[in-house]
Amino acid sequence: MRLVIIGGGILGTAHALAAIGRGHTVVQLEREAEARGATVRNFGLVWVSGRSAGELEFTLRSRRLWEEIGGRVAGVGFRPAGSITLVRTAAELAVAEAAATGPSADERGFELLDPGRVREINPALRGKFLAGLHCSTDAAVESRQAMPALRAHMARTGRYTFHAGAEARTISGGVVVDDHGRRFEADLVLVCPGAAHSGLTRELVGDIPVRRVRLQMMQTAPLGEPLTTAIADGDSFRYYPGFAGEALERLRLEEAQTFTAAQHRMQLLCVQRLHGGLTIGDTHEYDEPFGFDVDEAPYEHLTAVTEELLGRRLPPIVRRWAGVYSQSTDPNAIVTRAQAADDVWVVTGPGGRGMTLGPAIGEETADLLNL
């Protein structure tokens, strides 16, 4: 079967990888010279720990797929580093204890660690905290190099072609025409537009149940020592459905976030890149129009929290950025698939889970469409 996939981010690339793996031929179009949306602006985390009970099996499937992909494609930088969520208050500790003894604790690889054990696993954590919730199943990939590495891998099959700087303009009768006037014939067209909900996406499927979310993040110079796991703070409990329960409700009722964290709907996530620097974030903004600039207060908050947990000053911040991702408005939907025609589908809206769930979403779409 001939597929044309529109969009060069993680969803488009994951669908291409699934199709190539099943023996099909794929042409992939990306309107930029390289993907520049949420795919390259995220942490690269494969995040099992906070997923809801209903999506845990799907998430673990995606994590296994990432490990298999990492074994075949070294350039994606897959590493099963795990994570530690560091708690600093009694209310946060209660949430961690509930998670570590919950019904899915073994599947997630949860273990509650005292400060000494935290430092055995991650010696860079020399700061102030009461305990750490270790998740051994969390992992990471290199978000800025994974897509080129996957494309090179697929190109070696002889059944994959990537066109950069090619914006799809029309889709009709199994033919995609780009802004260069080139025609690409297809038996199936998959449109993976990321957060571009207007233009071609709206022409194809109208207004679908997705919204856009904006975030802010930053990158440090090399830390100078290994950060052996990803880390999170107790505020992250508030944003992940996997921690829902009585302990979390008590935390929300009895313990407010700091003003900046609450105003910007913040959590701390931090992961070390292969070059040694730390990617640190993030914020959540839901009301459009989004600002075109970045606010300094969240960066000051993130710096302060990270330094408290590390027990040292951060290296210089070398990059700051904002990003926008697409999120399905149905909280129970992992992704939104909308059919535009017999042979045309739009797939978007995984929220902040695109990198985590991309491979499994690609495989699921292939199963649903009998590829």
Side-chain angles (χ1 to χ4, degrees):
M1 184 178 289
R2 301 165 301 171
L3 280 79
V4 171
I5 296 177
I6 298 168
I10 179 57
L11 279 195
T13 304
H15 283 87
L17 191 66
I20 290 292
R22 298 178 184 214
H24 303 295
T25 298
V26 173
V27 171
Q28 187 176 14
L29 310 181
E30 165 54 42
R31 63 182 178 180
E32 303 284 352
E34 179 59 78
R36 282 294 176 266
T39 294
V40 297
R41 303 184 191 214
N42 65 45
F43 296 93
L45 290 171
V46 181
W47 204 246
V48 176
S49 52
R51 302 276 67 90
S52 71
E55 62 188 71
L56 179 57
E57 181 179 351
F58 192 80
T59 306
L60 289 169
R61 175 186 175 190
S62 199
R63 198 267 188 209
R64 288 191 294 271
L65 288 170
W66 267 124
E67 187 161 14
E68 293 171 5
I69 291 166
R72 300 194 305 269
V73 188
V76 305
F78 177 84
R79 49 206 185 275
S83 72
I84 300 178
T85 300
L86 299 158
V87 301
R88 295 176 290 166
T89 69
E92 291 177 352
L93 179 58
V95 180
E97 289 172 338
T101 57
S104 62
D106 290 341
E107 284 183 277
R108 297 176 195 266
F110 277 160
E111 181 184 5
L112 189 61
L113 310 176
D114 63 31
R117 182 65 178 137
V118 166
R119 294 179 180 110
E120 287 180 17
I121 293 175
N122 194 334
L125 296 172
R126 297 183 288 270
K128 299 177 182 178
F129 46 86
L130 296 179
L133 180 64
H134 184 222
C135 179
S136 61
T137 55
D138 285 338
V141 297
E142 289 297 295
S143 52
R144 297 194 181 198
Q145 68 185 50
M147 299 308 103
L150 290 172
R151 293 199 304 266
H153 171 75
M154 291 187 287
R156 287 192 285 272
T157 68
R159 291 181 284 106
Y160 172 80
T161 306
F162 179 73
H163 292 282
E167 183 174 354
R169 288 292 177 85
T170 64
I171 304 172
S172 179
V175 177
V176 177
V177 180
D178 73 1
D179 56 350
H180 299 273
R182 293 175 296 196
R183 297 167 55 87
F184 304 95
E185 296 186 1
D187 302 302
L188 177 66
V189 179
L190 297 177
V191 181
C192 301
H197 299 160
S198 59
L200 181 64
T201 303
R202 183 171 292 144
E203 290 175 11
L204 290 171
V205 292
D207 292 323
I208 53 177
V210 292
R211 65 174 177 178
R212 297 177 357 129
V213 182
R214 184 177 184 264
L215 54 78
Q216 289 184 203
M217 296 173 62
M218 63 184 181
Q219 177 82 45
T220 74
L223 184 64
E225 61 180 322
L227 187 72
T228 56
T229 69
I231 62 172
D233 72 347
D235 278 341
S236 67
F237 291 147
R238 302 169 188 264
Y239 292 98
Y240 290 111
F243 299 109
E246 292 182 6
L248 181 58
E249 288 306 308
R250 285 196 300 272
L251 171 66
R252 287 174 168 156
L253 287 172
E254 300 173 6
E255 197 167 277
Q257 291 181 280
T258 67
F259 175 80
T260 297
Q263 182 184 30
H264 295 275
R265 301 178 178 92
M266 295 184 68
Q267 61 178 345
L268 169 72
L269 297 178
C270 174
V271 62
Q272 190 171 43
R273 303 264 67 90
L274 290 178
H275 57 63
L278 304 179
T279 298
I280 302 172
D282 61 359
T283 64
H284 301 85
E285 184 179 355
Y286 302 104
D287 298 326
E288 297 197 56
F290 299 136
F292 57 83
D293 46 11
V294 294
D295 291 331
E296 190 61 24
Y299 293 116
E300 293 173 354
H301 171 82
L302 291 169
T303 297
V305 174
T306 308
E307 289 183 343
E308 180 177 344
L309 298 176
L310 292 176
R312 55 164 285 182
R313 290 184 63 82
L314 280 177
I317 306 302
V318 295
R319 295 187 182 93
R320 304 176 193 266
W321 66 91
V324 178
Y325 60 79
S326 178
Q327 181 182 67
S328 299
T329 54
D330 178 356
N332 297 314
I334 288 175
V335 71
T336 293
R337 295 183 181 88
Q339 187 172 13
D342 289 343
D343 54 358
V344 181
W345 286 80
V346 173
V347 187
T348 187
R353 305 168 294 181
M355 190 62 77
T356 295
L357 299 181
I361 291 171
E363 290 284 348
E364 183 181 62
T365 299
D367 290 340
L368 291 171
L369 301 182
N370 297 314
L371 293 183

